[in-house]
Amino acid sequence: MMTRPNAGASTRPATGPALPPLGEAPPTERMALGPPPSAEPTILVKLPHVVEPDAPAAAGEREGKPGLRTRILQSLRGYSSVRTRVLAAMLVLSALGLLLAGATAYALQRNDLNSEMDESLARSFQELETLLATGIDPDTLEPFVEADQLVYLLMQRTLTQPNEGMMAVRGDQVIFFANEEVDVRLEDDPELVNYVTDVAPPDQVTIQSVSTAFTDYRVLVAPVMLANDTQPTFFVLGFDAEAEHQQLNRTFGTYALISFATLALIGVVGFLLVGKLLDPIRRVRTTAQRITDTDLSQRIEVTGNDDLSDLTRTVNAMLDRLEGSFTSQRQLLDDVGHELRTPITIVQGHLELQDSSDPRDVQAVRDIALDELDRMRLLVDDLVTLAGIAGPNFVRPEPVNLGRLTDDVMDKARTLGARRWIIDSRAEAIAVLDPRRITQAWLQLVANSVKFTEEGTTIAIGSRKDDDGAWLWVRDEGTGIAREDQKRIFDRFERGPSSKRTEGAGLGLTIVSAITEAHGGAVELRSAPGQGSTFTMAIPSLPLGSTPTTAEEERP
C-alpha cells in the first residue's frame, strides 16, 4: 500500500505573479467535458480506469526462429545419453515453470502497481472536485474567481507520495511547483511541460502515461478555468513510473537469481537421481555384454519394486527361457549323438559281417536292423518331445472332466499287458490341464509299471481333486525301487538296475516329469524294493473342484 508522507505545503515561486485580490465574484464554473480535440486517446477520471498495458516486447523477443529448437534437439539426440536427455528435459520443464510463474507474478504485480498509481491520482482529483463544488475558499470564505487561487490551495492540501511530484501550468509556463522536499521535479522536465501545454486537451481531465528523455510518467492533467480566467490553468500531478517499477524490477531480479540457483540445484540432484534410476538399465546392458552363446548363466540383480525392477525381472525371465531353450538344444544334440550312435554301430557291424550267400544270416541281420531302427524311431520321438518342452505351446490347458479322463486312460492301459487293472479313485471334478499331454504321461507311467511287474499282478490308476490341486497316480506290485535310485531314474537315459537296454532308452520318466512340470506340478514317488511303486502326478491349484469318489472299481 502506498503511504502519504507529509511533503510540506506547496509554495508559490518568487517570480510568479501575485494572486488577485479576493472579492465579490460570480459563482464558480466548471469546464464542460467533451471529446478531446486530439486523436490521442484519453481517460476520464469519471469513467472506469483502464490501466495501460506494459510496453510490448522487443521485436526480437516476439519473433522466434521457427524450427530452431527442433533442429537443436535433433542434433543433440544422436550425441547424448538417455541420462543427459532426461536431465535436459527436467531442466527445460523446470525453467519453463519458473519463467511462467515469474512472468505471471511480475505482470500481476506491475498491473497492481499501475492501478495503485491511478487510484492515488483519482483521489487527488476528488479534492479538486470538492473545491470546485463548493466554490468557496475555506481560508477567506470568499468565492474562487480565478483558477490560480483554487489550484494553489489544492497544491497546499496535496501530500505527495514517494516518487510523486506536482506543478501548475498556465500558458506555456510553470506557475506553481512543489516544495524542495519533493524529490520528483516535474517542472524540470521541459518535455513534460510541453506535453501539458501542447498535447493535453484543454477541456478534458486525463490520466496518461508520458515518456520523456528523463523518465516515464503516469500523470493526471486537470484543466481548471473559472469566471475571470482567459485561459485554463493545468493542475499536474504525476508519478515517476520508472522509479515506481524499479523496486518491483529489483524484486524479480532477485527472483531470477534464485531461479538460476534453483535450476543449478535441480541439475545436480537430477543428474544423481536420474543416474540412480537408470542404474538397472546399465546393469541390463552390462549383463547382456557378458552373455555369450556358451554362458547364459548371468542374471541381473533386482532391487526395488518399480517399473525398472519389473523390467529387470522380465529380462531375467527372458534369459531363463533363452538358457532353457539353448540348454535343451545342446542336450538334444548330445542325446542324439550319444544314443543314436549305438544302434547305427550295431546295424553297420552286422551288415559288414553278414554272409550274403546265407539266407538265414541275411534274415537274422534284417531282423536285428529292423529292431534297432524301430528303437531309433522311438528314441527320436522321445527326443522330439523333450525338445519341445521349452516351447510356448508345449501344453495347452483346457477344462477337462477328470473322471472321464481316468476312464479313457484305463481303456488304453488295459491293452498294454495281462494285468489286473483297477481304478483306486475316480475324481468327479473339472480340472484345467492339457488332456493329450497328461494322457501321454499317465500311459508312460502305466507302461513303466507293466515292464516291472509280472502277469496277473495288480496295476491301479486313480485320480483325486481338492482345493489344493489334482493328483493322478499309477500303483503297481512290481519289484520296487531302492531309495538311492529313486531320484536318479528321472534323469535322461537312466534306467533302473533291473531294466534291459532294449526295453527303452531311459527317457520315459524324464518325459513324465517334464509334462508335469509344464503344468506347474511335480512327480512324487513312493517305493521300496519288493513292495511295488506308486507314481503320482501332482497338478497344483486348479480353479474348479469337487469331492472325489473313492469307490474301488475292478475291470476284467
Side-chain angles (χ1 to χ4, degrees):
M1 295 294 295
M2 293 185 179
T3 59
R4 288 181 172 270
N6 190 346
S10 303
T11 59
R12 184 189 301 269
T15 57
L19 289 175
L22 297 177
E24 294 294 333
T28 57
E29 298 178 2
R30 295 182 60 183
M31 295 294 294
L33 301 179
S38 172
E40 181 181 354
T42 59
I43 303 175
L44 298 181
V45 174
K46 285 296 186 180
L47 297 179
H49 303 305
V50 179
V51 180
E52 291 188 354
D54 297 330
E61 297 177 357
R62 293 195 303 266
E63 298 178 1
K65 296 180 180 180
L68 177 60
R69 177 176 175 273
T70 302
R71 290 197 299 271
I72 293 176
L73 290 178
Q74 288 176 348
S75 62
L76 292 178
R77 189 173 293 117
Y79 302 98
S80 60
S81 64
V82 174
R83 187 180 194 177
T84 305
R85 294 201 298 269
V86 172
L87 182 61
M90 289 175 55
L91 291 176
V92 169
L93 291 177
S94 300
L96 289 177
L98 292 172
L99 178 62
L100 179 61
T104 303
Y106 181 81
L108 293 176
Q109 290 291 327
R110 190 181 178 94
N111 185 70
D112 290 343
L113 186 59
N114 292 339
S115 297
E116 288 180 5
M117 288 190 290
D118 285 357
E119 290 174 2
S120 177
L121 295 174
R123 285 193 300 269
S124 298
F125 177 70
Q126 289 176 357
E127 180 68 19
L128 175 61
E129 283 189 311
T130 301
L131 292 175
L132 287 172
T134 59
I136 302 298
D137 187 343
D139 294 332
T140 64
L141 301 180
E142 297 292 336
F144 291 109
V145 294
E146 291 183 354
D148 290 0
Q149 295 174 302
L150 187 145
V151 171
Y152 180 75
L153 179 61
L154 176 62
M155 293 180 66
Q156 284 183 319
R157 294 185 174 185
T158 301
L159 300 178
T160 58
Q161 300 185 53
N163 302 320
E164 187 179 27
M166 60 182 173
M167 66 179 177
V169 179
R170 185 177 61 194
D172 56 356
Q173 293 187 359
V174 177
I175 59 173
F176 306 122
F177 51 82
N179 60 29
E180 289 122 359
E181 296 181 4
V182 178
D183 294 331
V184 179
R185 313 308 303 179
L186 301 183
E187 68 277 7
D188 293 339
D189 192 339
E191 292 185 43
L192 179 61
V193 175
N194 291 336
Y195 168 80
V196 174
T197 58
D198 299 337
V199 179
D203 57 352
Q204 187 86 26
V205 178
T206 61
I207 294 179
Q208 286 287 357
S209 294
V210 179
S211 297
T212 69
F214 281 87
T215 187
D216 295 330
Y217 299 98
R218 188 69 176 170
V219 295
L220 163 71
V221 180
V224 182
M225 189 171 181
L226 300 183
N228 292 345
D229 292 326
T230 58
Q231 59 181 341
T233 298
F234 292 92
F235 171 65
V236 182
L237 181 65
F239 281 94
D240 185 346
E242 185 174 314
E244 286 286 313
H245 292 157
Q246 280 180 356
Q247 180 61 39
L248 181 63
N249 294 338
R250 284 194 295 270
T251 300
F252 280 90
T254 304
Y255 171 82
L257 294 177
I258 295 175
S259 297
F260 282 122
T262 302
L263 287 176
L265 180 62
I266 291 175
V268 174
V269 175
F271 184 82
L272 299 176
L273 181 61
V274 173
K276 183 68 174 178
L277 293 176
L278 294 179
D279 188 59
I281 296 180
R282 284 195 295 271
R283 291 200 300 268
V284 171
R285 181 189 62 191
T286 303
T287 303
Q289 290 173 344
R290 291 200 301 263
I291 291 175
T292 64
D293 57 350
T294 58
D295 181 14
L296 296 173
S297 61
Q298 297 290 333
R299 295 296 181 270
I300 307 166
E301 180 184 358
V302 179
T303 58
N305 189 20
D306 52 17
D307 294 340
L308 290 178
S309 61
D310 290 341
L311 172 63
T312 303
R313 295 186 187 94
T314 301
V315 172
N316 284 340
M318 179 188 68
L319 293 176
D320 290 338
R321 293 192 298 270
L322 289 175
E323 184 179 19
S325 178
F326 291 163
T327 301
S328 177
Q329 291 179 8
R330 286 196 299 267
Q331 194 166 21
L332 174 62
L333 294 176
D334 293 342
D335 294 343
V336 169
H338 177 268
E339 291 298 319
L340 294 184
R341 185 179 295 111
T342 299
I344 291 175
T345 302
I346 292 174
V347 173
Q348 182 179 5
H350 281 80
L351 289 176
E352 290 175 349
L353 296 176
Q354 77 169 353
D355 183 1
S356 57
S357 61
D358 185 352
R360 287 181 299 178
D361 192 25
V362 172
Q363 183 63 35
V365 172
R366 176 180 177 276
D367 293 340
I368 292 174
L370 291 175
D371 183 65
E372 291 298 322
L373 290 174
D374 187 59
R375 193 165 69 87
M376 290 171 60
R377 179 183 59 80
L378 295 176
L379 176 62
V380 170
D381 291 341
D382 290 343
L383 291 175
V384 170
T385 299
L386 291 175
I389 291 174
N393 297 320
F394 180 68
V395 294
R396 298 180 180 180
E398 61 183 58
V400 175
N401 187 306
L402 287 179
R404 183 177 303 171
L405 181 64
T406 304
D407 292 340
D408 292 342
V409 171
M410 174 57 76
D411 291 338
K412 296 175 181 178
R414 352 178 1 206
T415 62
L416 297 179
R419 304 293 187 272
R420 181 171 176 264
W421 298 99
I422 293 177
I423 293 181
D424 284 338
S425 176
R426 184 176 179 275
E428 294 294 343
I430 300 298
V432 178
L433 46 82
D434 187 336
R436 183 174 63 87
R437 290 298 184 188
I438 290 296
T439 299
Q440 179 185 2
W442 213 341
L443 290 176
Q444 183 65 56
L445 291 176
V446 171
N448 190 69
S449 294
V450 170
K451 288 194 296 183
F452 296 99
T453 56
E454 302 295 334
E455 292 186 5
T457 57
T458 298
I459 296 179
I461 68 172
S463 58
R464 180 170 59 86
K465 176 74 170 60
D466 57 23
D467 293 339
D468 295 330
W471 284 261
L472 314 174
W473 67 85
V474 175
R475 176 176 60 85
D476 63 48
E477 298 175 348
T479 58
I481 304 170
R483 180 178 296 274
E484 61 272 14
D485 294 328
Q486 290 183 7
K487 184 177 181 181
R488 181 177 58 82
I489 62 174
F490 288 96
D491 296 336
R492 294 191 180 201
F493 304 110
E494 291 291 341
R495 290 177 286 271
S498 60
S499 63
K500 299 179 181 179
R501 187 186 64 81
T502 56
E503 292 176 344
L507 294 175
L509 293 180
T510 305
I511 293 174
V512 173
S513 179
I515 292 175
T516 307
E517 290 175 357
H519 284 80
V523 179
E524 301 172 357
L525 171 60
R526 292 201 316 270
S527 181
Q531 299 181 11
S533 304
T534 300
F535 291 86
T536 303
M537 294 183 291
I539 310 297
S541 188
L542 301 178
L544 301 176
S546 63
T547 303
T549 60
T550 57
E552 184 181 74
E553 297 180 22
E554 180 174 338
R555 301 236 174 166

